[in-house]
Amino acid sequence: QVQLVESGGGLVQAGGSLRLSCAASGTIFSINAMAWYRQAPGKQRELVAGITSGGSTNYADSVKGRFTISRDNAKNTVYLQMNSLKPEDTAVYYCNGDIITTRGPRLIYWGQGTQVTVSS
C-alpha cells in the first residue's frame, strides 16, 4: 500500500507564507511526477503546480511568481512554498503522485488534503 500525507496547512493573514509538505510512504518502487491541487468551496479541483522526477516544474497562472514546488526524491516528499498569499488562495490543498509500486502497478495516489485559509 501507498500513502501520501500532507502537512503544513493553517490560517495565515494575506501577504503571509506557508510551506506545505507531502510525504509518500509504503511499497514504493519509484515516483514519477508529483503535483499539488486545490479545491475551494463550490469550485472544481484545480492544478496548482507540478514537478517531474527530473525537477521540471509547471504552475497555474494564478500562482506563478508566488508559489514554488520542489521535491526531495530521497525522502519521497514534495513541498509547496506559498508566499504573498491572497484570500483567493483559500482552499483544501491535495498532493498526488504518479507512483510505481514494488508489486508493479503504476497508479495515481492522493493525499487526504490540508486546509489553507487566508484572511484578509
Side-chain angles (χ1 to χ4, degrees):
Q1 276 193 331
V2 173
Q3 284 189 319
L4 273 65
V5 178
E6 299 105 334
S7 61
L11 173 64
V12 65
Q13 288 189 332
S17 298
L18 283 174
R19 189 191 193 209
L20 306 182
S21 300
C22 172
S25 62
T27 56
I28 296 170
F29 177 74
S30 66
I31 303 178
N32 300 309
M34 301 188 80
W36 287 96
Y37 285 73
R38 67 186 180 187
Q39 188 167 19
K43 295 188 176 181
Q44 288 188 330
R45 190 172 297 189
E46 63 175 358
L47 175 67
V48 176
I51 185 167
T52 67
S53 58
S56 296
T57 59
N58 64 287
Y59 296 92
D61 288 343
S62 59
V63 306
K64 281 180 182 177
R66 300 189 297 123
F67 291 9
T68 302
I69 189 171
S70 61
R71 63 190 286 173
D72 184 332
N73 291 331
K75 296 181 178 179
N76 290 336
T77 299
V78 63
Y79 305 96
L80 186 68
Q81 178 67 44
M82 305 186 294
N83 298 328
S84 302
L85 282 160
K86 305 175 181 180
E88 52 264 44
D89 294 318
T90 295
V92 178
Y93 283 70
Y94 300 89
C95 71
N96 81 6
D98 178 359
I99 296 173
I100 300 174
T101 68
T102 55
R103 293 179 177 268
R106 176 179 175 178
L107 296 171
I108 301 297
Y109 293 86
W110 290 87
Q112 81 288 353
T114 185
Q115 176 71 46
V116 171
T117 303
V118 185
S119 62
S120 57

